[in-house]
Amino acid sequence: MLQSITHNSIGKNDVVAFKLAGQDFCIDIGLVREIRGWAPATVLPHAPPYIKGVINLRGAVVAVVDLAARLGFAPTEPSPRHVIIIVLYDGKVVGLLAELVSDIVTIDDAQIRAVPDIASDPSREFISGMATFDDGRILRKIDLAQLLPGTEGFSSC
């Protein structure tokens, strides 16, 4: 069912829009398994600073990535208002901590712009494109292949 709504026609893609550090981002809806409210994570010793820990997702241990910290913003201090976007990427289930999910948006390929050359290298690595809208809003599309390289240690589905 989820796959059937990922691409609603040629050149159009549905994405889940969310906020991090007050900024707008999105990921392909076909990668999203569910969206959950924040649940305290169990901290892992010696984990990278952008890994908030792990949660129990119906018996599976799932790592939670603080997207803000991973993208170079200040680390998130999660509260019950925050959400965890559960994604399936490269056969692994991963939680992505975000402030809130704002919308499901259909993006036309013509709306996608390249990341400007003046952006810093890490920004260009993690952002695959920028969707522009008539109201001036810009959604930065996260490239999970770059954001989650080598998903060893993440839960498999």
Side-chain angles (χ1 to χ4, degrees), residues 66-108:
D66 181 349
L67 279 178
R70 182 71 173 134
L71 293 173
F73 298 109
T76 304
E77 291 300 327
S79 72
R81 295 177 33 187
H82 286 83
V83 296
I84 300 172
I85 302 168
I86 304 293
V87 298
L88 176 63
Y89 169 73
D90 197 25
K92 306 291 181 186
V93 179
V94 181
L96 306 174
L97 178 60
E99 289 177 9
L100 61 93
V101 170
S102 56
D103 208 353
I104 294 174
V105 181
T106 300
I107 297 175
D108 192 75

Side-chain angles (χ1 to χ4, degrees), residues 1-53:
M1 178 69 179
L2 189 58
Q3 287 295 342
S4 66
I5 60 173
T6 300
H7 299 283
N8 46 10
S9 66
I10 294 174
K12 295 184 183 256
N13 299 296
D14 290 331
V15 296
V16 173
F18 55 92
K19 288 197 177 279
L20 300 172
Q23 305 291 312
D24 294 310
F25 292 89
C26 66
I27 57 175
D28 289 324
I29 198 169
L31 300 172
V32 177
R33 302 293 293 247
E34 66 181 88
I35 299 165
R36 306 172 49 95
W38 168 252
T42 301
V43 177
L44 296 173
H46 302 290
Y50 57 86
I51 300 291
K52 279 294 187 191

Side-chain angles (χ1 to χ4, degrees), residues 138-149:
I138 297 174
L139 285 178
R140 286 156 279 187
K141 192 171 181 183
I142 292 181
D143 184 352
L144 288 183
Q146 296 298 319
L147 190 80
L148 304 172

